[in-house]
C-alpha cells in the first residue's frame, strides 16, 4: 500500500493512501491527531473526502459524471427516472420484473395520510414551497415511525419516494387555492406529478408527452452528485442515527440556498431583470466581476467542474428542441445564450474557470413546462431524492461510518474571569 510521509516538528509519520477504482487517491489522516496532536484545516471541505462511496463518480476536469458506472449522457437519453432511482438506491439497473415491482410499490404508496392535508392549510398560501416540502417530509416521521431493520427501512424509502411528488404538487395547489388532485395509478411517476400539478377536478387532463419527456430528463440530470452540500447534510444528520425523513428534510433545507439548488430560480430572476433592464447582459457581467458588488452570475461556477458541467451541456443542447416541441418561444433563452457567450469571452471567468452549471438552463425548461419559478428548487429536490436516499443508505450500512464531528482551530479569547456587571 502507498503511503504519504508527513514531517512535523521533527516527527515523521506515514499516512496510508486510499485508492479508488478510478485511480483517485486520498491520504487517510485518521491517525494524524492521535499521533501528532494536530488536525487538518479545510474550510468548505474543498480537499476533504468524508467517505468512500460506490454511488457516483465525477471527474471535474473532464466533465465526467457517472452513476454506478453509467455515464449521465447514456442515462439521460435512454433510461427512465424510476430506473435511475432504482439504480442509485439498489446499485444495479432493475430487471423488468424488478422494475414492475418497484413501480407498483411507488404507485401503491403515493397517497398522503388524509390528516396531512390539514398541515398544508396551516401555512400561508405565500409560503415558499421548499419550506413546506422540508416540513412535510419531516412530518412523515410522525406517521411512519423510526425503522431499524432493513425491510422496514426499505418500506420507508419507498414511501418517501412515492409521496414526495404528491407533497410537492399539493403545496403548489394550496399556493394557488385550487383543489388537490390525487395520484392516479395508471400514470408514470413523472406524468403523475404533472397530473397532480396541472389537472383540475372539473376537466379531463392528458399530460403532454413532450412535457413528460423533458421532465424525465431533467429529473435524471439532477439525480445525484456525490458529496455536495445537501448530500453531505443528509449523511451528517443521518450519522447521528436520525431517521430517513429527518435526514432528507435537512437535505432539502440545505438545497434551498441560492448557492446550491436555489440557484435555478435565481437564474430566471436574473434573466428577467436583464430583460426588464433592456437586455444589457454586459452590465450584469460587469457587476459579477466587481469585487465591491456582492452580485454573482447565477448558474455560473462549480466547486468540482472546472471545464464544463456535463448536465448543463445536455440541457443546453436539448433546450431549443424542447422549447420548439412545446411550442414556446422564450426570449429568456436568447438572453441566457448571449450572457453565456459574453461571459465566456471575459478573462475574469476564464481565469477562475467559471462555466454554466446545471442550473443555468434548467429554469428555462421548467418555465416552458408551465412550472412556476418558486417550484424550480422543489423540482431539483424531486430529482435529487434518489441520490440523497442512496447516500443515506450507504452511510447507514458502511461499517466505517462514525458520527460526523469535524474539529476546529479555535481563534477566540483565551481564558479570562467572569466580571460582575457593575465592573464591566
Ligand atoms: N459569478 C461571479 N464570480 C464567481 C461566481 C459567479 N457565479 N462563482 C465564483 N466566482 C468567483 C468568486 O468570487 C471567486 O473569485 P476570487 O477568487 O477572486 O475571490 C472565485 O470565482 C472562486 O469562487 P468560490 O466562491 O471560491 O468557489 P466555490 O467553489 O466555493 O463556489 C459556487 C462554487 C457554485 C457556490 C459558486 O461558483 C457560485 O456562487 N455560483 C453561483 C451560484 C450557483 O450557480 N450555484 C449552483 C451550483 S451547481 C448546482 C448545485 O450544486 O446546486
Amino acid at each position: 500500500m502507498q503511503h504519504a510521509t508527513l514531517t512535523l516538528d521533527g516527527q515523521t509519520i506515514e499516512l496510508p493512501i486510499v485508492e479508488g477504482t478510478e485511480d483517485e487517491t486520498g491520504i487517510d489522516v485518521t491517525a494524524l491527531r492521535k499521533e501528532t496532536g494536530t488536525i487538518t484545516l479545510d474550510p468548505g471541505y474543498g480537499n476533504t473526502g468524508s467517505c468512500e462511496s460506490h454511488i457516483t463518480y465525477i471527474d471535474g476536469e473532464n466533465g465526467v459524471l457517472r452513476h454506478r458506472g453509467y455515464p449521465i449522457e447514456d442515462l439521460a437519453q435512454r433510461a427512465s427516472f424510476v430506473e435511475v432511482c432504482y439504480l442509485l438506491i439498489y446499485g444495479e439497473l432493475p430487471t423488468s420484473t424488478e422494475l414492475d415491482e418497484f413501480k407498483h410499490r411507488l404507485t401503491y404508496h403515493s397517497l398522503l395520510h388524509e390528516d396531512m392535508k390539514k398541515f398544508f392549510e396551516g401555512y400561508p398560501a405565500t409560503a415558499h414551497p421548499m419550506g413546506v416540502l422540508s416540513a412535510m417530509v419531516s412530518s412523515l416521521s410522525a406517521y411512519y415511525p423510526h425503522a431499524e431493520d432493513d425491510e422496514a427501512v426499505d418500506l420507508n424509502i419507498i414511501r418517501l419516494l412515492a409521496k414526495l411528488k404528491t407533497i410537492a404538487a399539493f403545496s403548489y395547489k394550496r399556493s394557488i387555492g385550487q383543489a388537490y388532485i390525487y395520484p392516479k395509478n395508471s400514470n408514470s411517476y413523472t406524468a403523475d406529478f404533472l397530473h397532480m400539478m396541472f389537472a383540475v377536478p372539473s376537466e379531463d387532463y392528458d399530460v403532454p408527452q413532450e412535457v413528460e419527456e423533458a421532465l424525465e430528463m431533467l429529473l435524471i440530470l439532477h439525480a445525484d452528485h456525490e458529496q455536495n452540500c445537501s448530500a453531505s447534510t443528509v449523511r451528517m444528520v443521518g450519522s447521528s442515527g436520525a431517521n430517513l425523513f429527518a435526514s432528507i428534510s435537512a437535505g432539502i433545507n440545505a438545497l434551498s440556498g441560492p448557492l446550491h439548488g436555489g440557484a435555478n430560480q435565481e437564474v430566471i430572476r436574473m434573466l428577467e431583470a436583464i430583460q426588464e433592464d433592456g437586455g444589457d447582459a454586459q452590465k450584469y457581467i460587469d457587476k459579477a466581476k466587481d469585487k465591491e458588488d456582492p452580485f454573482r452570475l447565477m448558474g455560473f461556477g462549480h466547486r468540482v467542474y472546472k471545464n464544463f458541467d456535463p448536465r448543463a451541456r445536455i440541457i443546453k443542447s436539448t433546450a431549443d428542441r424542447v422549447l420548439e416541441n412545446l411550442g414556446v418561444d422564450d426570449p429568456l433563452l436568447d438572453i441566457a445564450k448571449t450572457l453565456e457567450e459574453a461571459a465566456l469571452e471575459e478573462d475574469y471567468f476564464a481565469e477562475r474557470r467559471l462555466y454554466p452549471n446545471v442550473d443555468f438552463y434548467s429554469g428555462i425548461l421548467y418555465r416552458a413546462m408551465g412550472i412556476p419559478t418558486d417550484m424550480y428548487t422543489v423540482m431539483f429536490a424531486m430529482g435529487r431524492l434518489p441520490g440523497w436516499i442512496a447516500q443515506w443508505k450507504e452511510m447507514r450500512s458502511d461499517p466505517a461510518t462514525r458520527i460526523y464531528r469535524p474539529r476546529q482551530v479555535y481563534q477566540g479569547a483565551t481564558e479570562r474571569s467572569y466580571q460582575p456587571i457593575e465592573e464591566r
Side-chain angles (χ1 to χ4, degrees):
M1 189 196 276
Q2 268 188 295
H3 283 85
T5 307
L6 178 87
T7 305
L8 190 73
D9 289 339
Q11 182 195 0
T12 298
I13 61 161
E14 293 214 315
L15 298 165
I17 293 189
V18 179
E19 269 180 55
T21 51
E22 294 281 358
D23 301 330
E24 287 179 303
T25 50
I27 302 172
D28 179 348
V29 294
T30 14
L32 186 65
R33 199 180 63 87
K34 200 165 151 208
E35 298 212 12
T36 66
T38 195
I39 60 164
T40 55
L41 182 64
D42 181 20
Y45 308 138
N47 286 297
T48 297
S50 61
C51 60
E52 291 177 58
S53 180
H54 298 77
I55 303 168
T56 290
Y57 171 68
I58 298 177
D59 172 352
E61 290 299 320
N62 295 307
V64 173
L65 169 61
R66 290 186 211 128
H67 297 315
R68 308 277 189 192
Y70 295 101
I72 189 65
E73 292 79 6
D74 223 8
L75 294 172
Q77 250 184 28
R78 298 167 64 192
S80 69
F81 176 61
V82 168
E83 269 184 295
V84 174
C85 290
Y86 190 100
L87 173 70
L88 286 168
I89 296 169
Y90 300 110
E92 294 294 338
L93 283 170
T95 62
S96 76
T97 318
E98 286 165 341
L99 186 60
D100 285 348
E101 165 72 9
F102 188 54
K103 280 184 185 166
H104 173 74
R105 295 179 83 200
L106 291 183
T107 304
Y108 186 80
H109 290 283
S110 59
L111 278 174
L112 296 185
H113 193 294
E114 281 294 297
D115 285 355
M116 283 190 85
K117 280 192 347 200
K118 296 189 197 120
F119 299 171
F120 290 101
E121 268 110 67
Y123 292 106
T126 51
H128 195 285
M130 280 299 273
V132 177
L133 188 73
S134 86
M136 295 303 274
V137 168
S138 194
S139 305
L140 288 174
S141 62
Y143 292 85
Y144 307 105
H146 189 66
E148 281 297 343
D149 67 273
D150 288 348
E151 206 177 315
V153 166
D154 192 56
L155 180 56
N156 277 350
I157 286 174
I158 296 289
R159 284 174 172 141
L160 179 55
L161 267 175
K163 292 177 202 304
L164 196 87
K165 63 179 161 54
T166 316
I167 294 174
F170 277 27
S171 70
Y172 171 63
K173 286 296 196 191
R174 156 80 184 137
S175 74
I176 56 167
Q178 280 187 6
Y180 304 123
I181 301 293
Y182 281 65
K184 192 170 160 191
N185 289 353
S186 55
N187 278 334
S188 74
Y189 188 93
T190 317
D192 202 30
F193 168 72
L194 292 165
H195 171 253
M196 289 189 281
M197 282 281 289
F198 298 120
V200 288
S202 49
E203 285 182 34
D204 288 338
Y205 174 79
D206 288 326
V207 176
Q209 202 188 335
E210 299 80 19
V211 180
E212 183 183 344
E213 282 171 9
L215 185 56
E216 283 277 325
M217 179 197 71
L218 283 165
L219 295 184
I220 292 170
L221 292 181
H222 287 86
D224 190 51
H225 217 233
E226 51 116 307
Q227 308 313 315
N228 56 84
C229 174
S230 56
S232 299
T233 301
V234 168
R235 280 186 180 255
M236 174 168 273
V237 173
S239 76
S240 75
N243 68 53
L244 174 74
F245 304 117
S247 307
I248 302 288
S249 169
I252 293 170
N253 284 326
L255 186 76
S256 70
L259 298 188
H260 194 4
N264 57 13
Q265 63 173 48
E266 298 308 323
V267 170
I268 292 297
R269 296 213 168 109
M270 174 183 78
L271 296 175
E272 283 170 344
I274 296 174
Q275 187 185 33
E276 277 164 30
D277 217 2
D280 186 358
Q282 191 59 43
K283 182 173 162 189
Y284 287 79
I285 290 172
D286 292 342
K287 267 167 80 64
K289 284 163 51 184
D290 181 357
K291 287 288 159 201
E292 303 300 312
D293 190 330
F295 175 80
R296 284 187 165 200
L297 217 51
M298 298 314 285
F300 256 74
H302 199 277
R303 173 65 64 78
V304 182
Y305 294 123
K306 295 300 173 198
N307 283 316
F308 67 95
D309 178 338
R311 304 164 302 172
R313 219 173 234 198
I314 296 172
I315 300 181
K316 186 184 173 189
S317 69
T318 51
D320 283 318
R321 180 173 50 78
V322 171
L323 262 60
E324 199 184 314
N325 286 347
L326 297 175
V328 173
D329 180 15
D330 190 346
L332 290 197
L333 180 60
D334 297 329
I335 294 178
K337 285 182 181 169
T338 312
L339 188 67
E340 179 188 351
E341 273 166 33
L344 295 182
E345 278 176 16
E346 297 273 342
D347 288 347
Y348 175 95
F349 291 89
E351 280 159 12
R352 290 168 181 77
R353 306 178 74 189
L354 304 169
Y355 298 92
N357 59 49
V358 69
D359 291 323
F360 193 67
Y361 286 104
S362 62
I364 290 174
L365 295 195
Y366 291 136
R367 207 168 114 99
M369 290 172 195
I371 290 169
T373 315
D374 266 5
M375 285 292 286
Y376 294 176
T377 315
V378 171
M379 310 306 296
F380 193 150
M382 273 175 55
R384 185 54 57 84
L385 182 62
W388 288 330
I389 293 174
Q391 299 286 345
W392 181 86
K393 198 168 168 240
E394 185 177 71
M395 175 280 305
R396 184 177 172 271
S397 60
D398 183 351
T401 298
R402 303 167 73 196
I403 187 166
Y404 277 35
R405 203 318 184 173
R407 297 244 170 195
Q408 62 170 16
V409 175
Y410 177 67
Q411 301 285 16
T414 52
E415 185 174 359
R416 49 188 171 162
S417 297
Y418 175 79
Q419 292 165 306
I421 194 150
E422 58 280 6
E423 289 175 22
R424 274 174 236 160

